[in-house]
């Protein structure tokens, strides 16, 4: 364990072996940090905060702060959880849940680039990338292997589906379907995230079926329900297409088209 002599660590904090704490960082009493994790200089970690193994938290990051909710009762017990091998870059902020015993959660193997923000009660899956200056407001769900580019704004309660990509400077007001590429202000459905599908070794046949399904969803002469029925009747129901349909049917905000 390597702890700089200027770091302030509460005696009740639980630090596993091989944890490194940089200069002037502050670690609160309810913080737990897993083996091999590196905490850089000037990092502040407060409240109930569980950080996994082999994470990297860079300078100036602030984790576990109170949610930005008017009239929030600061005595509400809540927490954040960060999965193994996740990187939190410079000046990232992650706020604890706004609900009693609630959790703001970030999965494993994620990369949150500098100045990104994750608000209260967000749930971020595994292998998610958030690029610089992107902000997630409260209650946003980001599924596995989604990629959110820089300077993106997202509305509360939006869901961003797995293997999707949100282009830079987009304004996301509705759910983003899995496997999709969206861009614009307001955001619109451009097509398929082919780069993400290829990088994750989706077979050609599956990529083709996803392409056809998203083409039907984009059809300006079909509403969303009609698109779903057309997909069901004309495309083989493999797990990816079934998941896409289930995601759409579960949407409460509507989908980005």
């Amino acid at each position: 364990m390597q702890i700089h002599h200027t770091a302030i660590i509460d005696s009740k904090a639980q630090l596993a072996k091989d944890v490194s704490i940089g200069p002037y960082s502050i670690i609160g009493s309810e913080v737990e940090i897993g083996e091999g994790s590196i905490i850089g200089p000037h990092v502040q970690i407060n409240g109930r905060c569980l950080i996994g193994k082999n994470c990297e938290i860079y300078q100036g990051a602030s984790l576990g702060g109170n949610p930005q909710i008017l009239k929030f009762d600061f005595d509400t017990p809540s927490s954040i959880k960060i999965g193994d091998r996740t990187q939190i870059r410079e000046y990232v902020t992650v706020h604890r849940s706004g609900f009693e015993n609630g959790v703001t959660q970030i999965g494993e193997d994620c990369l949150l680039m500098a100045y990104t923000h994750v608000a209260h009660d967000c749930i971020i899956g595994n292998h998610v990338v958030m690029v610089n200056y992107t902000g997630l407001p409260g209650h946003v769900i980001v599924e596995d292997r989604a990629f959110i580019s820089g300077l993106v704004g997202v509305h509360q309660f939006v869901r961003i589906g797995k293997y999707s990509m949100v282009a830079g400077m987009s304004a996301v007001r509705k759910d983003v379907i899995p496997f999709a590429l969206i861009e614009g202000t307001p955001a619109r459905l451009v097509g398929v995230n082919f780069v993400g599908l290829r990088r994750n070794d989706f077979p050609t046949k599956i990529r083709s079926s996803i392409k056809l399904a998203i083409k039907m969803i984009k059809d300006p002469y079909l509403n969303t329900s009609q698109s779903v029925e057309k997909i069901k009747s004309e495309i083989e129901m493999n797990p990816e297409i079934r998941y896409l349909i289930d995601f759409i049917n579960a949407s409460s905000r509507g989908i980005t088209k």
Side-chain angles (χ1 to χ4, degrees), residues 101-246:
N101 299 319
V103 181
T104 301
Q105 186 165 325
I106 299 171
E108 298 180 348
D109 300 291
C110 294
L111 171 58
L112 275 61
M113 298 187 192
Y115 294 96
T116 53
H117 172 64
V118 179
H120 60 91
D121 300 290
C122 286
I123 299 175
I124 296 178
N126 301 322
H127 299 276
V128 169
V129 176
M130 289 177 57
V131 180
N132 309 71
Y133 299 99
T134 280
L136 300 183
H139 309 280
V140 169
I141 296 175
V142 182
E143 297 185 344
D144 294 350
R145 297 186 183 274
F147 189 103
I148 307 175
S149 302
L151 293 166
V152 170
V154 182
H155 198 282
Q156 294 94 332
F157 294 97
V158 157
R159 297 180 304 148
I160 298 176
K162 63 182 182 180
Y163 299 100
S164 63
M165 180 175 182
V166 180
M169 301 182 70
S170 296
V172 183
R173 302 174 182 176
K174 296 183 179 181
D175 292 347
V176 178
I177 60 175
F179 319 118
L181 170 63
I182 72 164
E183 69 175 9
T185 305
R188 61 185 180 87
L189 178 59
V190 175
V192 181
N193 180 20
F194 282 118
V195 172
L197 298 186
R198 291 193 192 100
R199 286 178 177 173
N200 288 280
D201 299 320
F202 278 69
T204 301
K205 182 179 180 180
I206 298 299
R207 296 202 306 265
S208 296
S209 66
I210 291 171
K211 178 181 179 181
L212 182 56
I214 289 181
K215 182 179 180 180
M216 293 176 181
I217 293 168
K218 286 183 61 181
D219 190 332
Y221 298 103
L222 300 175
N223 62 34
T224 301
S225 297
Q226 291 168 334
S227 297
V228 168
E229 291 306 314
K230 188 175 179 65
I231 291 169
K232 288 179 179 179
S233 64
E234 298 185 16
I235 301 178
E236 180 182 350
M237 200 54 57
N238 56 53
E240 289 76 14
I241 297 301
R242 170 51 61 191
Y243 181 77
L244 176 62
I245 291 172
D246 290 344

